[in-house]
Every structure is written in structure tokens, then in C-alpha cells.
Amino acid sequence: MFKFGSRIVWLYVTAAIVVGLAASYVVISALDSPKFESREGVLDLRQVEVRENPQKLAGEWEFYWQELLSPEDARIRSTEVGQGEHWIDIPSSWSGYRWNGEKLGGSGYATYRLVVELSEKDHNERLALRLPSIFHAYKLWVNGELLAQVGKVGQDKAGMNPRLATKLLFFQPESDNIELVMQVSNFNHNRGGITKPIELGGSDVLATKTNLNLAADMFVTASLVVIGLYNLLLFILRRKDRAPLYFGVFTVLLGIRSLFNGEVIFTQWLPHFPWELQFKIEYLILSVSGFIIMMYFDSIFPNYVSRWFRIGSRVATGAFCILIIVTPALIYTQFLLPIGVMVVAHMVYLMIGLVRMAARRKSGALIFLLASVVTLVTVVNDFLYYNGWSLIENTSPLGLLVFTVAQMILLSSRFTQAASNEERIARELQIANDKLIEMNTNLEQTVQDRTQALSNAHHDLRTSYNQLLNSEQGRKKLLAYITHDLRMPLASMLGYVEAVQDQVKPERNEQYLKYIRENTIRINRMIEELSFLSHLETGQVSYRMNRVSIVQFLRSFFEQYELVVRDAGLDFILNIGDSEDPRTRRVVVEMDAQRLEQALFNLVSNAMKFTSRGGTVRIGLTVDEKDGARSAIISIQDSGMGIPPDQLEQIFDRNYRYDQPSAEKGVQGSGLGLAICREIVQGHGGAVRAASDGERGATFYVTLPWIGNEGGE
């Protein structure tokens, strides 16, 4: 047994719908096919009563290319000998028809002639001709009498005036034959001629059929426009949801386009409306329909439509719209098939997504899918019809109406669901309110809970106070260290000053002054570092944060201090070359470059202090991504004597100093550099740590948050 919602179920459902629609199409095509066809310009209808059974005047008509003949001239030409290529199948365009061995184009003019033989019962009956829209201007004579003229027939583009209109003509035959002579010209479209069948029948029957077609077209148009305006009003009232906007625009445009198809209602209302503008409106609506329905789909099922398909849709739709606007109909009508392929591609792409959505039981996906299948079949049929490959015309308005009604059901269900969610939220608020009332009734228990919370806060405050005392003791201890450090250089300076004063060794006065100057600089630096660290710990130092490429920053830092390190007799290496991980070269970090440079220089200075001449100081960069958190890790490695592992956690404390003079330098420091480094890095939201085995150098790691890549992400 199939599980409801599984993909195989929707596959069978879709296949059944497509097969059913295809079968219906075959049946309708068979019923719509003409039972009688003319041969060599003569249609024999003596075996049927056309007043009760209207017939399509299909088959071979006499055809005279590049000639505008009167009924008399056409009659004479039909009796001439040697005119064997005077026949053309109707309905069809003369575009592509072979005349004297050459394939005709869409532009030109011609004369058609057909003789219809009637039964005796139809001789004295009032008959009618139902003429569809013919491309794109024509004159019609019936038994030598001019009954209809649509547009202006001419022998060139300047001499004709195109127009589309349907006609219902009434006449009284006075003999057993009817002679139809029609002049047709086209210089404005890629297809010309009688592309739709002309019907002959009783006046009452054809009048009724025409009125029913008009009523059906008006119903479809009015339904589409009303539904569209209703959805636009919904969007105006609630702009957060864009689905009604796209759907409203889509249905209104389809309603407008339906006025130009079928019975061509628009030209009946506005007979002098420009023909070129009429076609541009129709083709523009057709071109943008696929893009609009894609945006509607994306608003119903977000994050399904891929970025590349959306970009491709915009480009293709924009290109066709520009083509339609800037070129005449003779050019852009040649692109009807590519436009149709674009629209069908939109629908097929969305239907593939709908099958997936339906298989996942997405709300509304099944309704959307079934309506899309119906619409796709009707739209494809109309494209086939307008290219001369189908017998059924103007099915897309009905299919689009089915699609529109289905979408109304879908949107209604969305609004119903939204209302249900509001009711659920109201119930949850009521429950929360009831709980609040209950809480108020148990105020005594609440006070006890708050008292306990205050007690816990008091305990936390006591703990913080004890930590503060420990910190103060640490400060006093540090002050003692600093006092000790200051006493030694001050005593040394005093001795040198007295030696200079007493002229103990005048030849060494310059050296004594140099020692005094160096100790003065050292004391001044120590005081500045102590003051700066105090400001860092109390939050009095502000950071000017900017988005900076970490690679560029490290290269600049390396170039700035390369000579300093190398003058100390050390190799200085930067490991972020082009061969490294490509992600590393694009890392962007938010930093105060000046402060971070100060922190890194403290680490480099520390490495220089404990590394003998001929050693190496190495700067590296790696990236790390763990549990969605990304970070850039800067490493500063030296080849010095290392740090005992049991002291790695203490070396960043301001009250701790591990002074172990190097073999060659014997350099001493204030012990504040690493503490300052930690405060600066933590101010950037990062962390710093050290690693060493106590024998072969040490490595310091500075971890900073990675906020993006160069070029954006």
C-alpha cells in the first residue's frame, strides 16, 4: 500500500493527469476536424444541411500570390489553362508555402477563392459566415458582393492598415453555389494568410455559437481581473506577504491578454486602437508571465528557486521585453517559439520543484502541482496552434482560469492557517495570563524565591569581593616587583652620576652618560607599560575597530620589524605565502590595527629576549572552523630556551615574571608585556595562549574571530 505523500504516489497522479489531458486533446481534435474538405477550390456540401450543421471551409482554396483580384478577375483566372499551382490548404499561413519552387515569407499579399456547392434545402435559407481574426487585413466578396473589410488591403506596408477582428456575416444565397473571394495582405507580422478556419452555417446557429464564445471569453476575462484586483487589495492591506502581489499582477495581466485572443473583444470595444501597440501588449504580457509566476512560487515556497535560475529568468525576460519594445512586430513575432520555450521552461522547472514539495507534504504543493499540469498542457497547445501544429485554439485562458482558481484556494488556505495561528497565539497568551494570575496568588512563595535569589547574588558579590582583595594583593606584589626593578637602575644611575661629578675616570664619562640614558629610557618604558596596563584592566582604553585583511596586516607588520629582529642576530620568517590554504589569504578580521600591532610586538620582543643569536623567530597564520565558529590563528614561534610547562598558565599574569637571561643578551624586562598582550587580544574578542616543552623554544597563539572574506561573503 502506498504511503500518502510518497513520491511514487505523486508520480502516478501526475502521469494519470497528463495521460487524461492528452486523451481529451485527441478526442477534441478528432471532433474539431472538418468532415468535408474542398478539392481544387470546390467544396461539395450537397450531402449536408449547413443551416443545422455548420461546416468549416477547410481544404484546397484557389490561391493567387502577389495579386489582388476582383471576383470577376478571379473567376477568369480560374478558367485559364496551365495554372496548376493555384491551390493552398486552409487554414494555414502562406509563410513557408512553396510557390513556383520558392518558399514564401510572411510578408506579401494574395487572393483566395472558394466555390461552395449547397444542398437544395439551403438555397433559400438565411446563412452566415463566421470569420476569425485573419492576418492582417482583408476584403471578402460573397457571390460578387463585398460583405466585409477589416483593415486596409495594400500591396506594400505603406499602403495597408493591419487590424484584427472577428466577424459574423449574414447573406441569402440565390443559387446552389456560393463563391467566396478574399483579398489578404500582411506586411506587419511574420505569418500571413487565413490561419484559422472560416465557418459556414445557419444564421441562428452561428449567432448563438458566437454569443456563447463571447460570453465565455467575458467570463474568463472578468474572473481573472476580479481575482487579480482582489489579491492586489489583500497585498495593500497586508504588505508583509508578497504572494498576493505577484498573483494579483499575474491574473490581471492574463485577464488583459485574454481580451486580445478568441473573439478579440478588445478591438470590438476600441476599433481604432493601434494594431502595433495591441501586439506589443500581448507579447509583453506573455514574456513576463513566466518570471512573475516564478516570483509567486518563490514567495509561497521560499529558498527553492536557485540563484542562477532567478538570474537567468531576469536576463531572458528582460532581453525579450527589450526586443518587443524596440522592434516592430514583423521582427519580434518571429521569436514566438523561443518566448514560448522560456515560459514552458519556467513551468517545467517549477513543476519539478512542486513534485518534490508534494512528496515532502508541503502545504499547498499538491494543489499547485495539479493546476500547473493543466495550465502547462493548455499553454503548450496554444503555442502549437499559433505555430500551425494544433487544431484547437485559445485553450490557455481556460487553463489559466483553472490555475487561478486553484491558487485562490491555496492563498485562502494560507490566510486560514494564519488566522488559526493567531487563534493559537491568543490561546497561548491566555494561558500565560492565567499563569501570571496564579503567580500573583502565590506571591509569598515568589518573595521567598526572590529572597533566595538575592542571597545567591550576595554570595556572588562576596566572592567577587574576595577576588578583588586577591587582585589588590597582586597589585601590591607587582608594585613591590616594580619598586625593586626601579631601585636597581636608579642606584646604578646615581653611581654613574657621582662618578661623572667626581671625575673618577674622565675618559669614561661618555660611556657613563650612555648608561644613564639607557636606564632612564628603561624606567620610563616600565612606568608607561604599568600605566597602560592599568587603563586596559579598567576599560579606559578605546579601540578603533575596522575590517582588515589579516594577511595584509601581517605582511605590513613583518616589513616594519624585519630589520629590528635581524639586527638582533635572528632570522625573521613569515609563513603566509601563495602556496598556503586559499582560505587564509581571504580572511578579514575586525581589529584596531595599532593596538594589535602593539600586542604582537610584545610577543616578538619576548621571543627575541629568550632566543640566542643565530636563532629564528617565525610568524604563521592558520584558519580554524569548528561548530560554525570561524577564527584566524596567528602563531609566533621562537627557537629559544623554552618555558617550563608548569608555568605556561602563569606567564600572562601581571604579577608574574619569568626572567631567564639568554646566553648572549642578558636582557631584562618589566614583566608586563605578556599581560598587556592578553588584555589587548581579549579586547578584540580573542584569546592568547603559549605552548612549550621547556627545552626547544616556545610558540604563542593569538586567536581572533574571523568575520568574513575579502570581496564579501
Side-chain angles (χ1 to χ4, degrees):
M1 183 175 179
F2 291 123
K3 181 182 178 181
F4 184 78
S6 65
R7 297 188 179 185
I8 192 67
V9 172
W10 303 132
L11 181 61
Y12 282 128
V13 169
T14 305
I17 293 173
V18 173
V19 172
L21 290 173
S24 302
Y25 175 80
V26 173
V27 172
I28 295 175
S29 298
L31 294 175
D32 195 61
S33 300
K35 298 179 181 179
F36 300 92
E37 293 188 354
S38 58
R39 293 290 181 270
E40 297 184 355
V42 178
L43 178 60
D44 187 357
L45 297 180
R46 290 176 294 180
Q47 305 301 319
V48 63
E49 297 182 21
V50 296
R51 60 191 177 114
E52 298 293 339
N53 301 292
Q55 298 295 316
K56 289 179 169 44
L57 305 184
E60 293 179 347
W61 286 45
E62 294 181 22
F63 181 68
Y64 303 97
W65 177 244
Q66 299 294 70
E67 295 184 65
L68 297 179
L69 303 177
S70 65
E72 294 79 6
D73 295 335
R75 215 173 293 125
I76 295 173
R77 290 294 303 276
S78 66
T79 60
E80 294 179 357
V81 181
Q83 302 292 334
E85 294 188 0
H86 278 177
W87 323 115
I88 188 172
D89 288 330
I90 298 299
S92 67
S93 171
W94 64 51
S95 178
Y97 177 70
R98 289 199 171 273
W99 177 264
N100 293 331
E102 295 183 0
K103 185 179 291 187
L104 302 182
S107 299
Y109 55 91
T111 301
Y112 296 83
R113 181 175 180 270
L114 177 69
V115 175
V116 182
E117 297 179 349
L118 299 176
S119 65
E120 294 182 0
K121 295 182 179 180
D122 292 328
H123 288 178
N124 298 318
E125 294 292 333
R126 189 166 182 262
L127 302 181
L129 286 170
R130 184 171 179 270
L131 279 76
S133 53
I134 295 175
F135 289 2
H136 275 99
Y138 69 90
K139 284 184 178 180
L140 174 65
W141 287 268
V142 178
N143 291 334
E145 180 183 358
L146 181 62
L147 287 189
Q149 179 172 349
V150 175
K152 180 182 178 182
V153 178
Q155 297 182 356
D156 53 34
K157 186 173 182 180
M160 74 161 290
N161 183 24
R163 185 168 177 262
L164 286 182
T166 59
K167 291 285 186 180
L168 184 62
L169 308 176
F170 301 98
F171 65 96
Q172 184 83 31
E174 297 178 354
S175 63
D176 57 354
N177 290 335
I178 300 175
E179 181 192 46
L180 303 180
V181 177
M182 180 178 290
Q183 296 178 355
V184 180
S185 65
N186 171 64
F187 292 94
N188 303 84
H189 199 276
N190 72 314
R191 298 171 65 229
I194 307 174
T195 60
K196 302 177 183 179
I198 300 173
E199 288 188 78
L200 172 65
S203 59
D204 293 339
V205 175
L206 288 185
T208 301
K209 184 176 182 179
T210 300
N211 291 333
L212 288 176
N213 289 340
L214 280 171
D217 288 352
M218 286 298 299
F219 172 75
V220 171
T221 300
S223 299
L224 291 173
V225 173
V226 169
I227 292 174
L229 294 177
Y230 171 75
N231 281 275
L232 291 176
L233 179 61
L234 288 180
F235 172 73
I236 293 174
L237 296 177
R238 188 173 182 268
R239 301 191 177 213
K240 185 177 181 180
D241 186 6
R242 290 185 173 270
L245 170 64
Y246 296 123
F247 184 63
V249 172
F250 178 72
T251 51
V252 168
L253 291 178
L254 291 181
I256 294 174
R257 185 176 182 273
S258 66
L259 296 175
F260 300 105
N261 296 317
E263 296 298 324
V264 197
I265 300 173
F266 193 84
T267 58
Q268 297 185 27
W269 292 348
L270 300 172
H272 301 294
F273 190 82
W275 178 90
E276 182 75 34
L277 183 57
Q278 171 186 339
F279 260 82
K280 285 187 183 294
I281 293 174
E282 181 181 358
Y283 272 70
L284 284 173
I285 292 175
L286 180 63
S287 298
V288 302
S289 60
F291 176 76
I292 295 176
I293 201 63
M294 179 197 68
M295 297 302 296
Y296 168 67
F297 178 87
D298 192 45
S299 62
I300 295 291
F301 304 107
N303 303 323
Y304 169 74
V305 180
S306 70
R307 176 173 174 266
W308 292 113
F309 186 83
R310 188 182 290 108
I311 294 175
S313 173
R314 289 177 180 173
V315 172
T317 302
F320 280 122
C321 289
I322 293 174
L323 176 70
I324 294 169
I325 292 173
V326 302
T327 62
L330 188 62
I331 295 178
Y332 66 75
T333 53
Q334 299 179 21
F335 292 86
L336 177 60
L337 184 59
I339 293 174
V341 170
M342 179 186 68
V343 175
V344 171
H346 277 86
M347 299 187 67
V348 171
Y349 179 85
L350 298 182
M351 286 176 62
I352 294 174
L354 287 171
V355 171
R356 296 177 180 174
M357 297 295 179
R360 298 172 186 171
R361 298 186 181 181
K362 291 287 186 179
S363 176
L366 180 59
I367 296 177
F368 207 144
L369 175 62
L370 299 181
S372 298
V373 172
V374 176
T375 306
L376 178 62
V377 173
T378 57
V379 170
V380 170
N381 172 77
D382 274 9
F383 280 114
L384 294 176
Y385 175 81
Y386 286 116
N387 284 277
W389 301 328
S390 174
L391 297 176
I392 307 175
E393 64 171 307
N394 205 33
T395 58
S396 58
L398 180 60
L400 292 170
L401 180 61
V402 173
F403 179 81
T404 301
V405 173
Q407 299 313 309
M408 284 292 295
I409 297 174
L410 175 59
L411 291 177
S412 299
S413 65
R414 282 167 55 88
F415 276 100
T416 302
Q417 185 177 4
S420 300
N421 291 336
E422 291 180 359
E423 293 177 356
R424 177 180 55 81
I425 293 173
R427 289 195 299 270
E428 292 176 354
L429 289 175
Q430 182 62 41
I431 294 173
N433 185 59
D434 293 340
K435 290 182 178 180
L436 182 60
I437 294 175
E438 182 180 356
M439 184 183 297
N440 289 333
T441 58
N442 299 321
L443 185 58
E444 183 177 353
Q445 181 63 37
T446 303
V447 171
Q448 292 178 358
D449 294 339
R450 295 294 182 268
T451 303
Q452 182 63 36
L454 289 174
S455 176
N456 294 336
H458 180 265
H459 178 267
D460 294 338
L461 184 61
R462 171 60 64 179
T463 302
S464 299
Y465 177 74
N466 292 333
Q467 293 176 350
L468 183 60
L469 288 178
N470 293 333
S471 176
E472 183 62 24
Q473 292 175 0
R475 291 174 185 272
K476 292 179 179 180
K477 190 174 182 181
L478 177 63
L479 184 58
Y481 291 153
I482 298 299
T483 303
H484 176 267
D485 286 344
L486 289 177
R487 183 180 294 113
M488 291 180 62
L490 286 174
S492 176
M493 290 169 60
L494 181 59
Y496 290 140
V497 170
E498 291 174 352
V500 172
Q501 258 183 341
D502 297 335
Q503 295 292 320
V504 176
K505 292 183 178 181
E507 68 275 11
R508 300 187 66 180
N509 285 349
E510 184 176 350
Q511 184 178 1
Y512 293 157
L513 292 175
K514 180 180 179 182
Y515 290 158
I516 294 171
R517 180 179 180 276
E518 289 176 352
N519 283 329
T520 303
I521 293 174
R522 180 184 175 195
I523 294 171
N524 184 60
R525 184 185 302 116
M526 186 183 304
I527 295 172
E528 287 178 353
E529 289 180 348
L530 180 60
S531 175
F532 181 69
L533 180 59
S534 299
H535 284 88
L536 284 173
E537 292 178 339
T538 56
Q540 298 178 17
V541 176
S542 60
Y543 295 92
R544 298 180 180 179
M545 309 298 282
N546 294 293
R547 295 169 62 95
V548 178
S549 168
I550 191 67
V551 172
Q552 295 179 3
F553 170 78
L554 289 179
R555 285 176 177 166
S556 176
F557 177 85
F558 177 82
E559 293 171 359
Q560 182 175 356
Y561 295 105
E562 182 180 13
L563 292 179
V564 175
V565 179
R566 295 192 184 278
D567 288 343
L570 303 176
D571 287 336
F572 198 26
I573 300 174
L574 179 65
N575 282 342
I576 51 173
D578 294 337
S579 61
E580 299 292 330
D581 185 352
R583 295 181 305 166
T584 304
R585 299 196 301 270
R586 302 169 54 213
V587 174
V588 172
V589 173
E590 192 168 23
M591 67 169 75
D592 183 334
Q594 182 179 358
R595 297 299 185 196
L596 192 60
E597 178 183 321
Q598 179 181 359
L600 294 184
F601 180 72
N602 285 349
L603 295 177
V604 172
S605 298
N606 189 73
M608 293 169 59
K609 182 192 306 182
F610 295 103
T611 304
S612 302
R613 295 183 66 86
T616 301
V617 177
R618 187 185 309 270
I619 298 180
L621 175 64
T622 58
V623 296
D624 185 35
E625 186 168 358
K626 188 179 298 182
D627 299 330
R630 302 181 298 181
S631 58
I633 303 175
I634 303 171
S635 62
I636 297 178
Q637 180 183 10
D638 63 63
S639 59
M641 60 192 65
I643 303 172
D646 59 342
Q647 299 185 29
L648 291 176
E649 296 296 328
Q650 307 172 36
I651 60 175
F652 294 98
D653 294 339
R654 63 176 293 173
N655 58 354
Y656 182 87
R657 184 177 64 180
Y658 173 68
D659 276 332
Q660 185 175 355
S662 67
E664 296 180 14
K665 299 181 184 64
V667 182
Q668 295 182 351
S670 64
L672 301 176
L674 295 181
I676 292 174
C677 176
R678 180 179 63 180
E679 292 294 331
I680 292 176
V681 173
Q682 290 179 349
H684 284 72
V688 61
R689 64 182 179 88
S692 176
D693 58 1
E695 297 177 0
R696 294 175 297 177
T699 303
F700 289 80
Y701 298 94
V702 175
T703 303
L704 299 172
W706 167 16
I707 65 169
N709 293 335
E710 285 184 294
E713 176 173 321

